[in-house]
């Protein structure tokens, strides 16, 4: 699984815009978000689709973000996690 290339990030631009609107995250590079000084969220592409790696604890958890429903679920998860 490779890190998302520009074309894949272009597909995710509406999702990226929603993530950019969340408080507490800094986008260090396109599609790479930090929370405070720690890497928090980045994206991968795979033949199975697009995925987000999110640090919800000590390790990253992977979430599929290929569909609008999966993307909405990710934004909800991020919102809840950031507001805790």
């Amino acid at each position: 699984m490779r890190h998302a290339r520009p074309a894949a990030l272009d597909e995710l631009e509406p999702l990226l815009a929603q993530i950019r609107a969340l408080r507490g995250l800094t986008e260090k590079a396109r599609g790479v978000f930090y929370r405070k000084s720690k890497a928090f969220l980045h994206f991968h592409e795979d033949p199975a689709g697009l995925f987000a790696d999110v640090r919800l604890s000590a390790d990253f958890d992977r979430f599929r973000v290929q569909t609008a429903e999966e993307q909405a679920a990710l934004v909800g998860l991020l919102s809840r996690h950031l507001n805790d």
Side-chain angles (χ1 to χ4, degrees), residues 20-41:
R20 289 178 187 125
L22 297 173
R23 300 188 83 150
L25 297 179
T26 302
E27 190 173 19
K28 297 275 186 167
R30 186 172 180 222
V32 179
F33 295 86
Y34 278 65
R35 184 175 187 195
K36 298 181 182 173
S37 63
K38 268 193 156 174
F40 179 73
L41 167 66

Side-chain angles (χ1 to χ4, degrees), residues 6-83:
L9 293 173
D10 289 345
E11 283 184 52
L12 293 175
E13 190 56 43
L15 172 61
L16 294 176
Q18 292 178 60
I19 294 169
R20 289 178 187 125
L22 297 173
R23 300 188 83 150
L25 297 179
T26 302
E27 190 173 19
K28 297 275 186 167
R30 186 172 180 222
V32 179
F33 295 86
Y34 278 65
R35 184 175 187 195
K36 298 181 182 173
S37 63
K38 268 193 156 174
F40 179 73
L41 167 66
H42 60 273
F43 296 90
H44 291 275
E45 56 183 290
D46 183 84
L50 299 171
F51 294 85
D53 281 358
V54 183
R55 186 187 307 266
L56 298 175
S57 59
D59 295 318
F60 282 94
D61 294 305
R62 183 157 289 161
F63 299 91
R64 191 168 187 269
V65 292
Q66 189 66 44
T67 68
E69 293 82 12
E70 293 166 342
Q71 292 176 14
L74 178 68
V75 172
L77 172 75
L78 295 174
S79 294
R80 288 188 302 278
H81 185 76
L82 292 169
N83 289 323

